[in-house]
Amino acid sequence: MKTMGKKRAIQLNSLRELGILLAFILVLVVLMILSPNAFAKPANLINIIKQASINGILATGMMFVIISGGIDLSVGSIVALSGVIAVSFAHPGEYPLIVPIALSAIAGLLAGLLNGIGVAYGNIPPFIVTLGSMTIIRGLALIYSNGQPIFGVSKAFESLAGGFVFNSIPFLVIYFLSVTIISAFILSKTVFGRRVYAIGGNEITAKVSGVSVPKIKIAVYCISGFLAGIAGLLLASRIVSGNPTSGQSYELDAIAAVIIGGVSMSGGSGKWYGTVIGALFIAVIGNGLDILNVSSHFQLLIKGAIIIIAVLLDMKGKGKQ
Amino acid sequence: MSDFLLEMQNIDKSFFNVKILDNVNFNLYPGEVHALVGENGAGKSSLMKIIMGIYSRDSGTILLESEEVSFQTPREALSAGIAMIPQELNPILDMQVAEYLFIGREITKTNMGGISVVDRKAQIENTRNLFERTGVKINPRVLMRNLSVAQIQLVEIIKAISMSSKVIIMDEPTSAISIKEVETLFEQIRKLKAQGVGIVYISHKMEEISQIADRITVLRDGKLIGTDKAENLNKDKIIQMMVGREIKDVYPKEFVESGDIALEVKNLRLKGNFQNINFALRRGEILGIAGLVGAGRSELVECIFGITKPEEGEVMIKGKPIKITHPKQAIQNKIALITEDRNFKGLNLKTTVEQNISFVSLNKLAKFGVINNKAEADAVEKQIQKLRIKTISRKSMVKSLSGGNQQKVVLAKWLLTEPQIIILDEPTRGIDVGAKRDIYLLIGEMAKAGRAILFISSEIPELMGLCDRIITMAGGYLTGEIPRERFSQELIMQYASKFEVKA
C-alpha cells in the first residue's frame, strides 16, 4: 500500500515539472491563436522576455535561497535601496559608470550578507530575519533619498537597461540569459550547488557529511542580495530615476516565479529552468492579457490562481508520508 | 465468554513486503501487568499501534471484553477504554496541568449569552480530586512545561484513569526517569491493578519486568515466541527467547590480527550524556559498544565525530591528539560515521542514489569546484556494484529504495571517502536479513583491510557474532569491557544494565 503511494508520488513529481511546461505552452498557443497579430509577433515575444527579466533575475536569487530551505523577503527593498544609491552616483558628468554599478551591487551584497549572518548564526527563522531587513532596508532607501525620487541620469546609465544588441535584442534580455546560464551552471555542475540542495534537503545530513552549513546559507543570501542589487540598478536605469518606493512586492513576484517553476517551498529540490518558465509565465500572462484588453484587476485573479494551482501540484507531488 | 479483557488473535502486518508481525496472539486479563519484551524491531510497538488504530492490521481479530473491535484512530481506541502512554511524551507544554488533563473533553458551562465556555474552576477542582484519590502531588494550575518527565508520565497515567481506561499500554515508561521515580510509577501501577485495569508493559529492563509483571510475552522478528507466567521465566530464559538463534551461522566472522592503535578516547565527557569515557581502538579490530537505549552510545560517537563538542577529554588518532569540532575535520582525519537514524541524519531523501553516495566525496570528484560527471558516475556505479545495492539506476530517488538498500547507500557514501576509522551506529536496525548479512560481510572485509571499526548495536548476538571485543555503556558511563573469549549474553546484559559507576 505504502509502496504504491511512493511510486505514484515519484511519477507525479516528474509530471509536475512537465505539467508546468505544458501549461505554459498551452497558454502561449492560446494567446497566439487569440491574438496572432499582436501577441505572436517576434518583437512582442522579445518584449515579454524583457518584461520577465528583472523579476527573472530576482527569482533566480530567490531560487538559491528557497532550494537551501530559506526565503528572502527583503529583495524588493534591496531593489529600491540599490536603485536610489545607483542614481545618486549616475548624474551626468560626475562619476564613471562603474561607480553606480559597483555601489548597487555592493549594497545588495551587504544586505544579503547581513540576512545570511542572521539566518546562519542568529538561528532566527529566515522569514523573520528577512521580514525585518525588508522593513529596515526600505527605511534606509527612504532616508538616503529623503523620501523623494532621485532624477537625472547620464545617457550611459540609461542605456544599461535601455540599450539593444543588433538594434533588436534588449540588453535586459542578455542580462537575464547570462544570470540564468551562470546560475544553472552553479546549481547543477558545482560542488557548491550540490551543497545548496543538500542543506535544503536535509540540513542535519549535510552537516554530518561535513558541510559547513552556515557558510552555504550566508552564500545563498549573498547571491540573492547581489542579484537584487543588480535588479535595482537595472530598474533604476529603466525608469531613469531612483525611487525609494519602487520594488514594492517584487519579492512576492519572485517567490511566485520560483513556486510556479516547481521549486519546493520546503527546499532541497527544483530545477533552474523551472524558475525561468515561472518568470516567463508571469510575464506572458501580463503581456497577453494586456493585449487582450483584460483589465489589470482581473489579471490579479488569474495570477493568484496560477500560484495556488502550482503549489497544489507541488503538494500532490510530494504525497502523504 | 472468556475472562480476557483484551485479546489479539492471529495478527499479521507487513510493510513494504516485509512481515513485521506474523500470526501474533496476545491477551490481557483485568488487573494484570503483562510485559511485552523483544529486541528492537521485534514488533512490540507495531502490535500496540495496531490496537490503538495507528496502524491497520492485514489480518487477525481484536476482542475487547469479548467483543470484536477495530479502531481506525487512537481517538476511537481511547473512547473504548484503551489508552497508550508512548515512549516519547509530547505534551502541550504551555497548558496548565488541569487544562491538559481535560483536553478534547473540556468541562463546559453555559454562560448568560447561551454560549458554552470552558469551566476552568470545575476542571481544576476535578483534577485536584483525581490527584488526591491517586496520591499524586502536583499542582493542577502549574504549566506542563514545569513538570519533570516522571511527573508528565504520571499526568498521562491519571489522564488515562480519568477516561476510565480499562487497558493502559506503557511503552518503555522508565526509559527517561530515575530509579526513585520508577518506584512512584510502580506504586501507581499496583493501584491500577487493584482497580482491575489491565496493563501492557513494554520494557527492555529485565529487573523491572521481574518486579512488576504477572505474565511475560516474548516477540522475536515479528513472531510470538512464548507467553508464560513471570515466575516461570528467569532473566536468562527471557534473553534466550528474545535472541534465540544460532549465532555462528548468522554472523560471518573473520579473525584479523589487530594492528596499531588507530583511535583513542581519553576522559571524554559531555554533560548529561556521558562522562569519563576511555577506550582505544586498533586497526583491524571490531570493537562493539553494547548498552540499552539511552545509555549514551550514539551521543558518544557523535561527539567523537564532531557533531557535538565535548566539555572535557581528548580524541587521539595514531597517538596524536586532534581537534574535531565539526564533522568535516573528522572526515579529513579519515573517520566515517554511519549514523543511527538514516532518514534524519544519513540521507537526503529529496535526491538520487547517486547524489547521496557521492556527496561527501564531491571535492575528490571535482576540479576547481566543478563536478566531473563521468568520474562521479564511475565512482558511484562501483559502489552500487560492490555493495550490491538494489536500485533501478543510480539516478533513482533514494526514497524509492527499501530500508536495507537505503542503509547500503549510506554505507557506500562513507566507504567512498576511504575512511580508516569506521563508526557504525545500529547499521542493521530495521533492515531485512539479506541486507544484514551483506553488511556483516562488509564489516568483516573492512576489518581485514586494516580499518578500525567501532560498532554500536542493541542486538547483542550481532555484537557477539562480529566483534573482537565489546565495551558496555549504561547511564553515560563505561561499565565494562569484555574480550571475545568471555562473550556471553548474560555478562553483556549484566554490564549494560548496571547503573552504578564502575570505579
Side-chain angles (χ1 to χ4, degrees), chain A residues 194-205:
Chain A
R194 285 284 174 84
R195 291 183 173 163
V196 173
Y197 281 99
I199 66 169
N202 186 338
E203 191 175 320
I204 294 172
T205 295

Side-chain angles (χ1 to χ4, degrees), chain A residues 1-3 6 9-10 13 185 188-192 194-195 197-202 204-215 264 266-269 317-318 321, chain B residues 15-16 56 305-308 326-328 331 337 339 342-350 355-356 358-360 362-363 366 369-371 373 376 397 399-400 406 413-414:
Chain A
M1 238 166 53
K2 284 207 163 177
T3 8
K6 285 199 169 176
I10 292 160
N13 230 6
F185 178 79
S188 56
K189 290 281 174 199
T190 67
V191 175
F192 171 76
R194 285 284 174 84
R195 291 183 173 163
Y197 281 99
I199 66 169
N202 186 338
I204 294 172
T205 295
K207 186 188 172 188
V208 173
S209 300
V211 174
S212 301
V213 175
K215 277 188 198 161
S264 160
S266 60
S269 66
K318 263 185 237 143
Q321 288 294 313
Chain B
F15 272 130
F16 304 109
S56 61
F305 198 67
I307 296 172
T308 50
H326 191 280
K328 68 181 172 194
I331 294 164
L337 171 64
T339 47
R342 67 176 168 265
N343 288 349
F344 188 53
K345 291 178 181 167
L347 292 169
N348 176 0
L349 292 173
K350 288 183 179 171
Q355 295 205 3
N356 269 286
S358 65
F359 189 65
V360 190
L362 282 179
N363 279 331
V370 180
I371 298 162
N373 288 9
E376 183 185 21
M397 296 298 280
K399 68 181 172 191
S400 69
Q406 288 187 359
K413 165 166 108 171
W414 288 105

Side-chain angles (χ1 to χ4, degrees), chain B residues 491-503:
Chain B
L491 194 59
I492 296 168
M493 263 311 217
Q494 193 192 322
Y495 282 150
S497 47
K498 200 191 257 181
F499 281 90
E500 71 274 29
V501 189
K502 199 184 142 200

Side-chain angles (χ1 to χ4, degrees), chain B residues 166-298:
Chain B
K166 301 164 211 156
V167 176
I168 299 179
I169 301 163
M170 300 183 183
D171 191 355
E172 304 234 15
T174 59
S175 62
I177 64 177
S178 73
I179 294 169
K180 213 178 152 204
E181 291 167 325
V182 171
E183 264 319 303
T184 327
L185 175 72
F186 282 4
E187 239 167 71
Q188 289 300 328
I189 291 179
R190 289 190 191 104
K191 277 185 195 163
L192 289 170
K193 274 177 68 171
Q195 293 165 21
V197 175
I199 292 165
V200 183
Y201 191 92
I202 300 178
S203 180
H204 278 118
K205 298 179 183 167
M206 295 301 149
E207 283 74 17
E208 283 175 10
I209 290 169
S210 56
Q211 258 188 63
I212 196 80
D214 300 305
R215 283 195 299 156
I216 298 170
T217 286
V218 182
L219 293 183
R220 186 208 312 150
D221 298 333
K223 293 190 184 73
L224 176 70
I225 301 304
T227 301
D228 206 343
K229 288 197 172 135
E231 58 257 37
N232 298 340
L233 296 170
N234 61 24
K235 192 172 145 184
D236 292 342
K237 177 79 185 150
I238 298 170
I239 290 174
Q240 196 202 322
M241 287 167 82
M242 278 167 62
V243 178
R245 53 185 100 102
E246 274 302 315
I247 288 168
K248 272 180 187 148
D249 302 328
V250 189
Y251 307 103
K253 170 72 185 165
E254 300 245 20
F255 287 93
V256 181
E257 194 72 24
S258 293
D260 307 332
I261 290 178
L263 175 77
E264 199 172 357
V265 171
K266 278 194 175 163
N267 212 15
L268 211 61
R269 183 173 72 108
L270 182 62
K271 209 178 168 200
N273 290 294
F274 55 82
Q275 44 256 303
N276 199 20
I277 304 288
N278 289 286
F279 69 87
L281 170 66
R282 290 176 178 277
R283 295 187 54 195
E285 183 184 35
I286 305 175
L287 174 61
I289 308 183
L292 301 170
V293 173
R297 296 171 298 165
S298 298

